[in-house]
Every structure is written in structure tokens, then in C-alpha cells.
Amino acid sequence: MYQITERAPSATALIAVDRAGHAERWSFSRVAEAAQGLAATLSASGLVAGDRVLILMPRIAQWQVAMLACLHLGVIPVPCVTQVSAAEVDYRVARSGAVGAITDRRFLDKLAGPQDRLRVRLACGGGDGWQDLDAATRSTASAPPPAAMPAEAPALMYFTSGSSGPPKPVLHAARGLYVRSRQPWAQLGIADGDVIWTTSDTGWTRAASCLLFGAWMNGATAVMHDGATDSLAKLEALERFAVSCFGAVATELRLIMAQTAPRPLPALRFTLSAGEAMTAELAHGWRAFSGAPLLVGYGQTETPTATLTEPNAEPLNGMIGRPMEGNRVTVLDEAGNEAAPGVPGQIAFDRSDAGLMLGYWDDGACSLPVRHGHWYLTGDTGSRDSVGNIFFVGRDDDIISSGGYRIGPTEVENALMAHPAVAECAVAASPDALRGEVVKGFVVLRPGHAPSDTLAATLQQHVRQAIAPYKYPRRIDFVDALPRTASGKLSRRLLRESEFKSQYVTSPKGTPR
């Protein structure tokens, strides 16, 4: 980033948009000066390479400045999702061993518990016991030289979303940051003049991958928008800031199409999506709406975004694309061999993949779980086709075992989403006395549609006709909203747990009791 600052100091690095919609442009030189000023302050506070600092901040320019300042010193930033509770923040401070925190005044109440355990405390606007962050960035002291970071040096920590248990601290190496600066940006040709925006929370890996490493390591402009909370505001921002690469989850794209009218977006070259299952219907719909292809990638908190669909490839339900250059990711059978095309197995990364985590952090120790000699198993079920495309089936713990069949929820959800009455849906296991488990659909309806037994039967028949009949949802609940984790991902686990806690079963004849 400093090299780009030397090459083009006045180029726009960042467009920061506040909650009122006011936009402020930051040059690369301004960002670099603020980051170096903050690095000087943090160094004077006693922070050294390897220390962990929790960063809990909204979508504002100071988040990027804080991240850069930590990386400058070799201090390990721990970005935190802003929706977490005070107890969850306390948990993250304790599990990461953080010795400092950088935040915004609006979140000080969430840090009240661990405040006395943090020897370095900075907040936008200051606060009782908190140094003013903006003043810290204006330090006139000289920052030490940027830390020399060997490839294996610990550099960045995230917490998993908690979709399959308590959130775990994931430690990434410096090599992983380099991978995030190259993929998928080199493949997409991102360079000077591009404008990248993702609506991601700053605690998600996608924020840093897009708005820090992806944009600034390639000379592009990042958009940090703290106010685009509804579909119309997002569409207007795409147009107003001439965004060329937009990152959003599938649910957001569906809402934009449902709640706004299409408008020309000539600057938009790509839309990137990950984190939720993708459907061919959505890909076709978004391209017709925006004029831009919808590309799908696959990755986890523990891994890089390792696959990507092709801009001109025919969209297929569940397809997450081929491995990008340098990534060794495939689908393994139960014996640890590469599964034959069309045969489901577990998506796995070779432990030599440069973007793969160092491991799970536990009080100074770091462990990378591997199986079959050298494979990290993701816990996601997938399959391959004959030309190397990988298809996402579902989380291992989301798979439904019904009457001897193993059913992935994603395929059923894709079929439900193709019905015009369905706005959102999720599929989970529900206990059944005859089959052990049955498929249950949880459906959020579009405006103009009302829950009814007739509509439920219609949806069931629709799925029977779209996929193998044994996969259809034998039960359907109409709900107002779907449960999500703190990182915004759909939580099928909560649905499943709710079903089994309620001990809803059926008699052998299928009559609910």
C-alpha cells in the first residue's frame, strides 16, 4: 500500500460515506499518514509484534486506518463483528488474549466488561478511560519501520461465525494476507481506476479482503459506506460512486431486485457473492437487473476464497466454480481419495495452500486439524463435475438423514427459491418417528402472498417437480424471518435445534402428534 502511495499519492484510496450520505474522499497519502501516525502512537503505548488488538468499528475510514497501523507494527488485528453483544466481546477478548482495543464511541458499552484488562484503549471521539483515536492518528512522532513479516508470521485473527458451535479464533499468517491481495483480484483484472464496494460488516473476512487487501494492493478505490441500510440506498450508491466491483450476499441481491427498479449501472463490471448458496435463477435475474455478471466464490474464515465461477459460464445451482491458480482444493471421499465426478464428499484444502490458516488459536498454541495425511476438511459437503467445477451441497452438520437418504439442504432451498412466492427460505431436519428425520422448509413469503395450507402444498409439489421427489420438504413453516449468526450467515443449526427441542414427531401414518 505504501508503494502505491509513492507511485500515486493523490489518487483516491477511499470514499468514506457517513450515515447521512455525506461522502469524503481520502487520498492514498492521507491514509498512509494517518496509519503511520497511529502506528507511532501504538508503538509508544508499548505494543509489539505479535500482540493482539481487538478492532470493533463500524464501516468508517478509521477502521482501515486502524487495521493498517496494526499491520505496520506486526501487531495482530482481531476484527470483530459489530452486532455482537457485550458478553460476546468479552469472550473474544479473553480467547484472543487481546491487550488492546480500537473502537468507536457507539460501542464503548460493549467493552465495559474487559476494559480494565486492556492496557491500550482508543476510540473515535474518546471516552472515559479511552484515548481519542483521531488525535492518535495525528501523532507527530515517527513510526518505526514497517515490520518484516516472514511468510509464516502470525498476522491476522478472526473468529468463526459460530454456525456450528462456539466461535473459534482463527489465526492467519502473513502469506494469507498476500493471497487475499491477489485472489480473486488478479483473475478479475482489478487495477487503478476500479472502485470496490462490499456491504460486509467490518468483522467479516470479506471486508478486509475487498476493501483493504483487494483494493489497496492493486491501486483501486475502496468504498466504506456506513449508511446504505436499505435496497434503494445500495442501488443509488452503486450508481453514485461508479462501483465497478460489488460484493454482496445472495439475500441482499434478491432484496435489491424485489424492492427497487432497475437502472443503468454502466461502471459495474462484476458482482461477487459468497457465504450463501447461489442459484441459477438469481444469477440470471441479477444480470438482467444490473447488466453485470454474478460471480460466486467459496471460502471460509479458515481459508482463502479459493474458487470462482467464470463471468460467461452458464450459472448452475450450487456451483462455486473452479479452484483459482495456486489453490489446491478438491472433494474427498471417506477414504481420503479424490471423489469421482458427481459423487458427494467433503470439500478439502491441501495443508500447503498458502491462504489456509495457521490454525485455531488456544492460549498461545496454534493447531491446524488435518486428516488423511495433509488435508484440512472444511466440514462442507460438495461434489465435482468432469471439468473441475465444484458444487456446494451443504454443511456436514446440516445434512438431513431421512429414510436412508442423505439430503443436502442447499438443493432443496434452491428449488424453493425458484417459486415466485418465496422471498427467502431455509431447510433443516425435523424429527420423525418413521423416517428418523424429514426435510422441513422455513419460508419467508414475498409481499402479496399469504401463508396457507394450499400454498404449502403448492410449494411441496413445485419442489417434487424440480428435484428428486424424495427430497421435497414434508413439512413447511411460514416465518417472518430466518435466524442468522452474528456474521449474517443463515443458521440452519438453530432451526434444527429448535425442531429437536420441541420433540415434534409424527406417527407411522404421518399424522402430526
Side-chain angles (χ1 to χ4, degrees):
M1 189 272 183
Y2 292 158
Q3 291 176 343
I4 291 176
T5 300
E6 293 178 359
R7 174 171 61 81
S10 60
T12 301
L14 174 64
I15 302 172
V17 190
D18 65 20
R19 286 179 284 183
H22 176 262
E24 183 179 15
R25 293 177 181 267
W26 290 52
S27 66
F28 277 99
S29 61
R30 180 181 174 187
V31 172
E33 289 169 5
Q36 289 168 357
L38 180 55
T41 299
L42 296 177
S43 178
S45 299
L47 292 181
V48 297
D51 284 339
R52 276 81 60 209
V53 171
L54 192 83
I55 300 183
L56 175 61
M57 300 186 76
R59 299 176 182 91
I60 57 177
Q62 288 81 358
W63 174 79
Q64 280 144 310
V65 170
M67 292 285 289
L68 275 178
C70 289
L71 295 171
H72 180 115
L73 297 173
V75 168
I76 300 171
V78 187
C80 187
V81 177
T82 57
Q83 296 101 324
V84 293
S85 67
E88 290 170 313
V89 171
D90 200 357
Y91 168 83
R92 283 159 171 76
V93 169
R95 285 297 310 273
S96 67
V99 297
I102 304 175
T103 189
D104 185 86
R105 282 186 62 89
R106 69 185 87 169
F107 301 132
L108 288 182
D109 59 333
K110 295 185 178 185
L111 283 151
Q115 177 171 329
D116 292 340
R117 305 200 304 272
L118 300 167
R119 70 172 189 263
V120 178
R121 302 184 295 271
L122 299 103
C124 290
D128 186 15
W130 292 81
Q131 185 178 358
D132 180 69
L133 177 61
D134 289 326
T137 65
R138 295 192 294 269
S139 171
T140 57
S142 296
M149 299 291 285
E152 297 298 314
L156 181 62
M157 183 182 290
Y158 283 101
F159 276 78
T160 61
S161 63
S163 58
S164 57
K168 293 179 285 189
V170 174
L171 188 61
H172 283 283
R175 54 177 164 76
L177 276 57
Y178 177 76
V179 170
R180 283 156 179 77
S181 75
R182 296 288 299 168
Q183 294 179 340
W185 317 112
Q187 187 161 326
L188 298 177
I190 297 298
D192 296 13
D194 275 304
V195 179
I196 300 176
W197 178 36
T198 177
T199 57
S200 170
D201 188 287
T202 56
W204 302 351
T205 60
R206 191 161 57 251
S209 294
C210 291
L211 303 179
L212 198 62
F213 309 121
W216 291 353
M217 293 290 283
N218 295 285
T221 299
V223 175
M224 270 307 250
H225 204 314
D226 196 30
T229 56
D230 60 72
S231 296
L232 181 59
K234 291 171 184 175
L235 187 60
E236 289 175 343
L238 289 171
E239 181 182 37
R240 177 184 176 190
F241 303 116
V243 173
S244 57
C245 185
F246 179 45
V249 297
T251 299
E252 286 182 281
L253 301 179
R254 289 192 175 98
L255 288 173
I256 291 172
M257 290 190 293
Q259 297 173 353
T260 66
R263 65 178 66 182
L265 298 171
L268 189 61
R269 296 200 292 133
F270 306 106
T271 299
L272 303 177
S273 193
E276 289 186 352
M278 196 57 57
T279 66
E281 161 265 333
L282 176 59
H284 286 302
W286 180 254
R287 187 159 199 161
F289 181 91
S290 69
L294 177 57
L295 309 184
V296 183
Y298 171 81
Q300 297 182 323
T301 307
E302 296 92 337
T303 75
T305 298
T307 69
L308 194 70
T309 56
E310 296 289 338
N312 296 317
E314 177 63 24
L316 298 172
N317 286 345
M319 187 166 70
I320 55 177
R322 302 181 191 181
M324 288 182 280
E325 183 180 4
N327 291 115
R328 191 174 181 203
V329 54
T330 190
V331 178
L332 301 181
D333 62 20
E334 292 184 356
N337 302 312
E338 193 167 55
V343 177
Q346 187 151 160
I347 299 174
F349 283 75
D350 191 286
R351 69 177 304 165
S352 65
D353 191 300
L356 187 62
M357 66 175 176
L358 282 169
Y360 296 112
W361 171 273
D362 187 7
D363 196 23
C366 200
S367 61
L368 176 65
V370 293
R371 295 278 305 280
H372 309 301
H374 56 96
W375 293 101
Y376 166 73
L377 305 185
T378 63
D380 289 335
T381 299
S383 64
R384 299 183 305 124
D385 65 14
S386 59
V387 296
N389 285 305
I390 297 178
F391 292 77
F392 180 81
V393 175
R395 289 288 303 171
D396 278 4
D397 44 16
D398 290 336
I399 297 297
I400 303 160
S401 298
S402 183
Y405 291 100
R406 286 174 55 82
I407 303 168
T410 303
E411 188 178 15
V412 184
E413 289 166 356
N414 289 342
L416 281 168
M417 285 301 306
H419 192 280
V422 178
E424 287 188 277
C425 70
V427 164
S430 184
D432 182 82
L434 178 62
R435 296 177 177 84
E437 297 176 347
V438 294
V439 177
K440 181 170 181 177
F442 300 82
V443 176
V444 179
L445 293 174
R446 292 183 182 275
H449 297 273
S452 69
D453 291 343
T454 299
L455 180 55
T458 299
L459 293 176
Q460 290 171 323
Q461 183 60 23
H462 169 78
V463 175
R464 282 194 191 99
Q465 294 173 343
I467 58 177
Y470 70 85
K471 300 178 182 180
Y472 87 96
R474 294 177 181 272
R475 300 181 188 133
I476 287 182
D477 267 3
F478 296 105
V479 296
D480 294 329
L482 300 174
R484 296 186 180 276
T485 67
S487 65
K489 291 183 180 180
L490 177 67
S491 180
R492 300 185 187 91
R493 176 176 63 87
L494 292 179
L495 293 172
R496 177 187 176 93
E497 288 176 355
S498 176
E499 287 296 296
F500 280 78
K501 284 178 181 176
S502 68
Q503 297 183 330
Y504 179 100
V505 297
T506 59
S507 69
K509 293 184 178 180
T511 304
R513 62 175 175 87

